[in-house]
Amino acid sequence: MLANAALLFVLALLAVIVVQWWMAPAYSLTNEAVLEQTAHEKVLVKPQQLKAMQADQSLKDFTLLDLSGSLKSKDAFGAVLKVPFAALLDSDQLKAIKKADKLLVVGAKESEAVMAVQLLMAKGVNNITALANDAAFTDQVLGQELQADFYNAQAEKARFDYGRFFKGQASGNKKANANQSVVPGAVKVVAASGGC
C-alpha cells in the first residue's frame, strides 16, 4: 500500500510538471538574443524623430500600442491598440499585436514601454520600437511645437549638470584647484602624513 501511495505521488508530481510546461508561454528568442536586439539605440524613438515622423505623415504607417490608455494624440497614428501591460502576453492580445506591420509602444513610463518591447520581441514580434518618455510627454510633443532642448529629453534619464563638477584643471596649478566649485555636502579630502 505504501509503494502504491509513493507511485501515485510521483505520478501526480509528473502530471503537475507536464501541465505547467504545457501552459508556460513559449518564447521564440533566448534572453541573450532579446537583450542584444534591444541594446541598440534604434529601439527608442526620440522626440525629435517622432516630430519628424509626424511632419512627413509616416506615423500613419504605424500601429500604436498604448499600454497606459492615457495618450490623447491617437489620431496621428494609423491604428491604435489599447492593451494594459498585465495583459500583454494573453493569446488574444498577442494575435492582434502580431497582425500589425509596424508597432510603436508607449507606456505610463519609458521603462514599461521598453519592457513591453523586450517581451514582444521574445515572442517573435519583429517590427517594434518604443517611444522615449511617457504618454504625457508624447502628447506634448505631438500637440505643440517644442524648443530644441526638449527634443533630446528622456523622462527616466538623469538631468544633472555634470560640467559644473567635472571641470578641467591645469596640471600642477593649485590656484586652479582652489577656484573650482565645491560640491555641496561632499566630504572634503585633506592630505595628511602619517597614519596607521
Side-chain angles (χ1 to χ4, degrees):
M1 193 160 149
L2 187 59
N4 288 340
L7 182 63
L8 285 175
F9 175 74
V10 169
L11 289 176
L13 188 63
L14 286 175
V16 167
I17 291 172
V18 168
V19 167
Q20 285 184 342
W21 174 74
W22 180 69
M23 292 182 68
Y27 293 100
S28 62
L29 291 178
T30 64
N31 291 343
E32 292 81 16
V34 171
L35 287 175
E36 183 180 320
Q37 288 181 5
T38 57
H40 300 293
E41 281 292 316
K42 292 183 254 182
V43 171
L44 279 179
V45 175
K46 303 280 174 45
Q48 187 173 8
Q49 295 168 319
L50 182 65
K51 199 68 176 170
M53 291 165 70
Q54 182 188 24
D56 66 4
Q57 297 292 323
S58 63
L59 278 181
K60 295 288 184 187
D61 299 336
F62 286 88
T63 300
L64 177 71
L65 180 59
D66 189 4
L67 302 174
S68 66
S70 62
L71 190 72
K72 297 173 186 152
S73 305
K74 295 177 181 173
D75 56 339
F77 300 94
V80 177
L81 292 173
K82 194 188 296 187
V83 179
F85 185 79
L88 197 61
L89 295 181
D90 291 347
S91 60
D92 296 336
Q93 304 295 347
L94 273 176
K95 287 178 188 174
I97 290 170
K98 286 184 178 182
K99 287 180 185 176
D101 290 333
K102 296 179 184 177
L103 274 172
L104 276 175
V105 181
V106 66
K109 296 180 183 176
E110 180 182 317
S111 58
E112 184 181 67
V114 171
M115 283 189 292
V117 167
Q118 290 174 344
L119 282 172
L120 291 172
M121 277 186 173
K123 295 296 280 182
V125 178
N126 294 326
N127 295 327
I128 185 168
T129 51
L131 290 175
N133 299 299
D134 54 1
F137 189 83
T138 302
D139 276 330
Q140 189 178 3
V141 168
L142 292 175
Q144 61 186 348
E145 190 65 35
L146 297 177
Q147 300 296 325
D149 58 344
F150 287 110
Y151 281 133
N152 294 322
Q154 288 178 275
E156 296 182 38
K157 307 293 187 255
R159 294 183 186 180
F160 192 75
D161 188 11
Y162 289 107
R164 177 177 165 204
F165 300 114
F166 295 109
K167 291 183 179 176
Q169 54 183 328
S171 60
N173 190 354
K174 291 188 179 186
K175 191 172 187 178
N177 289 341
N179 290 337
Q180 277 189 338
S181 60
V182 178
V183 178
V187 177
K188 185 176 179 183
V189 178
V190 178
S193 61
C196 298

